[in-house]
Amino acid sequence: MERISPNRLDRGFFQYQEEFEAKALEVLRSGWYVLGKEVKSFEEEFAAYVGAKHCVGLASGLDALWIAFRVLGIGAGDEVIVQGNTYIASVMGITINGATPVFVEPDEYFNLDASKIEEKITERTKAILVVHLYGQASNMAPITALCKKYHLRLVEDCAQAHGATFQGKQIGTFGDVGCFSFYPSKNLGAFGDAGAIVTNDDQIAEDFRVFRNYGSEKRYYNKVVGTNSRLDELQAGLLRVRLAHLGELAEEKRRICERYLRELKHEEIALPKIREGATHIWHQFVIRSAQRDELLRYLDENGIGTIIHYPIPPHLSEAYRYLGMKEGALPITEEYAKTVLSIPLYNGMTKEEQDHVIETINAFK
Ligand SMILES: *Cc1c(COP(=O)(O)O)cnc(C)c1O
């Protein structure tokens, strides 16, 4: 059997090859390549999909995050609460603006532990950044209550969880800004870099539209010092094709993960859990094992590629050495970094590939 990769973006392309190719040609022949009718249509369709009033297309998920804090006026001297076990981009979205990340430990679902937030709130706390990690919606009821009680802004990092819900409500719509990435490996992936925000606030949406295009509302009249974070027509057009099929793509991943949950059986391996009231769109299927490194090597030797999301938590990365945090500062976060493993999962994964992953893991000694 051919080696099984952790992800196969080519399979996702071939599933709708004709539609992607037709759209790409249409855009190439249109003569209009940045911020045009494809971007506008995608923004309308994605806002409707999420159930938000506005969507603003951007160049990446990181841009969505840092521009969110910029637009909300959060910067030097301010603190933002974020979970310790996230992808480092979440933290960079905070620190690019000069604000300080204050890390909180995750719960058993790999998301922000709402019961540990309050003790970290100070006079400087301005916002909570919730990351819906691996595809599962976070525990939003207590988090939104805390934001109300302490008058904090709420930003959601939805880069891994397009379409996930908490108590029936789509993530990205709980707070001030929902930040999305459409990096090719995400569940709603483009064919290059792309991102967006959603919001129900007219002013925030307007601020993003101005900021992404050098701070200009009207060509060559610049209101603020902005940036270039424009979404291009090709990515927006291809995203529209994928968005139209997102329901069936999510359903396919759900079926694969239900098989994993049903058929993976090993005493030394913990399977992911889903919180009551939350849905999981399975960006990653993350298992945990005290023998993680041996398991990784064993799977590799048996033709199965895996990835660790993420081996070094942001607070221990070289980039954030200046925060002065030491090993042991976030024991649960650090424990996850040593035990998590993402097994192969992608649209277009064959039954034989799933069988091989399940049988091989179950036979691990
Ligand atoms: C991918 C990702 C981002 C960043 O998105 P880019 O489009 O790569 O800039 C931010 N946060 C999380 C949790 C992500 O997974």
Side-chain angles (χ1 to χ4, degrees):
M1 175 182 254
E2 195 191 347
R3 193 175 163 77
I4 302 174
S5 304
N7 200 352
R8 287 286 301 262
L9 299 180
D10 54 339
R11 299 271 179 88
F13 166 69
F14 287 116
Q15 281 179 310
Y16 305 105
Q17 179 179 4
E18 277 179 30
E19 286 177 66
F20 284 130
E21 290 180 354
K23 179 55 80 176
L25 274 180
E26 185 191 325
V27 173
L28 291 176
R29 288 168 177 165
S30 74
W32 192 282
Y33 305 117
V34 173
L35 292 185
K37 68 181 180 42
E38 293 294 335
V39 170
K40 187 162 183 295
S41 297
F42 173 71
E43 288 175 341
E44 286 165 8
E45 289 159 9
F46 193 64
Y49 173 80
V50 176
K53 195 166 170 197
H54 306 280
C55 167
V56 182
L58 301 165
S60 74
L62 176 64
D63 282 358
L65 289 161
W66 77 260
I67 299 173
F69 291 110
R70 183 70 58 96
V71 160
L72 294 174
I74 294 169
D78 299 330
E79 293 176 357
V80 178
I81 285 175
V82 63
Q83 71 206 58
N85 65 323
T86 185
Y87 179 50
I88 203 157
S90 316
V91 185
M92 289 188 181
I94 297 167
T95 60
I96 285 171
N97 292 291
T100 304
V102 173
F103 297 106
V104 171
E105 293 270 46
D107 58 21
E108 61 188 303
Y109 307 95
F110 301 116
N111 280 328
L112 185 57
D113 187 338
S115 71
K116 293 179 178 156
I117 295 173
E118 201 159 17
E119 65 199 63
K120 297 285 180 83
I121 294 175
T122 71
E123 267 159 26
R124 292 164 178 250
T125 310
K126 291 285 161 23
I128 298 178
L129 173 59
V130 174
V131 187
H132 307 287
L133 203 68
Y134 305 145
Q136 178 164 200
S138 305
N139 190 13
M140 295 312 293
I143 295 171
T144 50
L146 282 170
C147 288
K148 263 213 185 82
K149 183 173 170 192
Y150 292 97
H151 306 290
L152 304 177
R153 297 292 203 158
L154 177 58
V155 178
E156 293 175 75
D157 183 339
C158 309
Q160 302 191 356
H162 318 76
T165 60
F166 179 79
Q167 293 176 347
K169 188 172 150 77
Q170 285 242 6
I171 58 139
T173 62
F174 284 86
D176 298 286
V177 187
C179 303
F180 288 86
S181 166
F182 308 117
Y183 183 72
S185 66
K186 311 291 186 185
N187 286 43
L188 176 59
F191 293 81
D193 276 305
I197 60 102
V198 299
T199 183
N200 289 321
D201 186 303
D202 298 345
Q203 188 59 51
I204 289 175
E206 182 54 28
D207 289 348
F208 264 97
R209 285 187 197 288
V210 169
F211 200 88
R212 74 173 168 187
N213 197 14
Y214 295 112
S216 80
E217 208 165 0
K218 199 174 136 205
R219 212 176 204 178
Y220 308 132
Y221 290 80
N222 302 76
K223 292 209 307 190
V224 294
V225 181
T227 190
N228 174 357
S229 185
R230 298 177 297 225
L231 181 57
D232 66 74
E233 288 284 281
L234 193 55
Q235 299 309 331
L238 297 172
L239 280 166
R240 290 181 68 202
V241 172
R242 188 102 73 185
L243 180 60
H245 295 291
L246 193 56
E248 67 217 48
L249 289 167
E251 177 59 25
E252 183 190 18
K253 274 195 154 183
R254 196 177 61 76
R255 271 199 304 269
I256 297 168
C257 292
E258 276 178 358
R259 260 203 89 187
Y260 279 166
L261 288 172
R262 211 170 41 239
E263 298 179 34
L264 284 173
K265 285 190 175 69
H266 196 291
E267 281 195 352
E268 304 296 325
I269 295 170
L271 301 180
K273 286 179 287 208
I274 305 177
R275 176 189 296 283
E276 212 186 306
T279 63
H280 201 316
I281 60 131
W282 302 111
H283 175 57
Q284 302 295 347
F285 191 94
V286 179
I287 61 177
R288 292 214 304 124
S289 174
Q291 280 102 56
R292 193 268 314 273
D293 295 340
E294 291 88 335
L295 177 61
L296 185 155
R297 220 170 308 127
Y298 159 82
L299 291 173
D300 182 55
E301 283 160 7
N302 284 278
I304 298 171
T306 56
I307 306 186
I308 299 168
H309 294 104
Y310 300 91
I312 303 171
H315 74 284
L316 297 180
S317 75
E318 209 177 321
Y320 287 115
R321 199 174 284 164
Y322 73 86
L323 293 172
M325 294 180 74
K326 295 265 159 0
E327 207 166 334
L330 298 168
I332 301 171
T333 296
E334 292 165 25
E335 170 74 10
Y336 284 175
K338 290 186 184 114
T339 55
V340 293
L341 192 64
S342 306
I343 64 175
L345 174 64
Y346 44 87
N347 286 113
M349 189 176 191
T350 66
K351 181 175 176 303
E352 290 68 35
E353 288 169 335
Q354 297 166 37
D355 290 343
H356 184 57
V357 170
I358 293 166
E359 285 159 17
T360 309
I361 291 177
N362 287 348
F364 175 57
K365 289 201 189 59

